[in-house]
Amino acid sequence: MTTSVAIAVITFRRPGLLRGLLASLQAQELPAGSDYSVRIVVVDNDAEGTAAQVVAAFDGDRYPIESVVEPEPGIPFARERSVELCWNDDALIFVDDDEVAPPYWLATLLQAWEKTGADVVTGPVKGNLPEGAPPWNHYSDVHDSTGRHTTGLELRKAYTNNTLVSRRVYHTVTPGFHPAFRYTGSSDLHFFLRVHRAGFRIVWCEEAVIAEEVPAARTTLSWLVRRAFRSGSGDTISRLLIRPGAVSYVLVLAYASARVVSAIGYALAGLLLGRKTHLLKAVRRFFSGIGSLAGIVGINHDEYRERHGAEHDGGEPVPGDLAGGAGPESPRLADPGHTPVADHPDARLP
């Protein structure tokens, strides 16, 4: 029996990057002797449908591409639309529109799925730095998640930058992506934390590596600080949405405090030993801890309100008058007749 797999991509006014990704996906090889039916689903989060012209250029290529517009601005709405479009596929694979996949990537990911029998398989992302990137980017792992885990290791979370999700997962954990994270990011973290909490297995595949183009705007220390803050806040808000109550607040407070204390330790070690990597970890952990504390009262950084690097790809920034994190409605239920594992109380931060 043929196994259907959809590769889901959400995009917003980045035609050059989207073109590169789609070209790399069309070059993917499948595992020898396998019977997979692969298609690509592009969800354009631009109401003007600017991705259509890019997608049209690939008409008739190896893998069919379906392109739709999700006019409601915000990453969670585009991701939820992806799930709806892939509802009848055996698995969907999330990738970002600024990535490029080597030819062996898809086969490696599918083979890991077959071998482990996991519900979710996720792999590393390798950042391709632009020319002139400040030196600290080259010895930091902030843009590079390779080498962090061994293949087959079970994880408690994942992200949508390089991840295969079995149908039984998104048929159960629905709706998937909370609109509280409209411009902040972390809707994928929130989703996969719920996936793990629901009892599904998430495993790592170190060999299924994918590359990401890093824009110059993400090579500054100010970006590193904002990203660390946003990640910490997103983690806190995710956990409090999943399990509200006094116990969760105490645990989050303890975690945030531990991050700040460990940051001080890394800073001292970095100064005494002269290790720049320790100093970078200190910066990331400190502002991640501060972000975690801010998340307790619902404060986050709207990183995607104005998309980084838009000027380098011919795009326009997201309009600044949109209410970040306050969507007009809860996301659509992909399967309205199914009771979700974690209900979305509303579209606002706690």
Side-chain angles (χ1 to χ4, degrees):
M1 182 180 294
T2 300
T3 301
S4 61
V5 176
I7 302 175
V9 183
I10 65 171
T11 189
F12 177 81
R13 297 185 185 179
R14 301 208 284 192
L17 294 174
L18 178 62
R19 189 176 297 111
L21 169 64
L22 295 179
S24 73
L25 294 181
Q26 292 292 350
Q28 293 301 305
E29 299 293 334
L30 295 176
S34 64
D35 190 13
Y36 285 103
S37 172
V38 176
R39 66 192 185 99
I40 302 167
V41 174
V42 175
V43 176
D44 187 359
N45 205 203
D46 179 10
E48 297 179 8
T50 51
Q53 187 174 356
V54 175
V55 172
F58 292 91
D59 185 39
D61 277 23
R62 182 176 186 181
Y63 302 118
I65 304 179
E66 177 183 0
S67 178
V68 300
V69 173
E70 173 49 62
E72 184 64 48
I75 295 172
F77 296 96
R79 284 180 178 149
E80 195 68 26
R81 187 70 180 276
S82 299
V83 173
E84 292 175 356
L85 294 169
C86 302
W87 190 255
N88 293 321
D89 289 288
D90 295 303
L92 71 85
I93 300 173
F94 287 106
V95 294
D96 289 344
D97 66 350
D98 58 354
E99 296 177 330
V100 174
Y104 61 83
W105 164 77
L106 179 57
T108 304
L109 199 61
L110 293 172
Q111 287 170 334
W113 184 40
E114 295 173 356
K115 183 176 180 180
T116 64
D119 305 295
V120 176
V121 180
T122 187
V125 176
K126 171 72 174 179
N128 291 330
L129 295 171
E131 274 190 50
W136 67 263
N137 287 270
H138 295 277
Y139 56 78
S140 168
D141 62 354
V142 64
H143 303 297
D144 186 357
S145 65
T146 59
R148 296 177 60 185
H149 307 295
T150 56
T151 296
L153 181 69
E154 293 198 15
L155 307 177
R156 294 178 176 270
K157 60 185 179 181
Y159 302 91
T160 54
N161 52 8
N162 180 14
T163 301
L164 179 150
V165 184
S166 301
R167 177 167 60 183
R168 56 183 171 269
V169 173
Y170 52 85
H171 277 199
T172 302
V173 185
T174 180
F177 300 99
H178 200 298
F181 304 98
R182 178 190 286 266
Y183 297 125
T184 62
S186 298
S187 64
D188 52 351
L189 170 64
H190 176 249
F191 171 68
F192 284 110
L193 287 174
R194 291 165 57 211
V195 167
H196 178 265
R197 183 177 173 84
F200 293 107
R201 290 176 61 231
I202 303 172
V203 303
W204 180 260
C205 180
E206 179 69 16
E207 295 76 21
V209 63
I210 200 168
E212 177 185 62
E213 298 302 319
V214 179
R218 295 187 181 185
T219 63
T220 65
L221 286 173
S222 62
W223 174 85
L224 176 66
V225 168
R226 293 193 302 270
R227 172 55 67 93
F229 180 93
R230 193 266 285 176
S231 296
S233 180
D235 184 270
T236 290
I237 293 169
S238 295
R239 296 179 189 278
L240 295 180
L241 281 172
I242 293 170
R243 188 182 177 186
V247 173
S248 290
Y249 279 95
V250 170
L251 291 175
V252 164
L253 182 60
Y255 173 79
S257 301
R259 297 289 287 182
V260 172
V261 170
S262 68
I264 296 172
Y266 271 108
L268 291 175
L271 291 172
L272 291 173
L273 301 175
R275 293 186 179 179
K276 296 179 180 179
T277 53
H278 281 43
L279 294 175
L280 280 172
K281 284 185 178 181
V283 171
R284 291 174 66 186
R285 289 193 172 218
F286 178 80
F287 285 100
S288 173
I290 296 300
S292 295
L293 292 172
I296 293 175
V297 292
I299 297 175
N300 205 340
H301 168 53
D302 285 357
E303 179 174 354
Y304 297 106
R305 181 180 294 278
E306 290 192 17
R307 181 168 41 76
H308 290 296
E311 68 274 17
H312 301 300
D313 200 46
E316 298 292 336
V318 177
D321 59 352
L322 295 172
E329 61 181 38
S330 292
R332 293 173 295 275
L333 279 170
D335 178 8
H338 193 93
T339 302
V341 169
D343 291 328
H344 293 168
D346 54 36
R348 293 175 176 81
L349 298 178

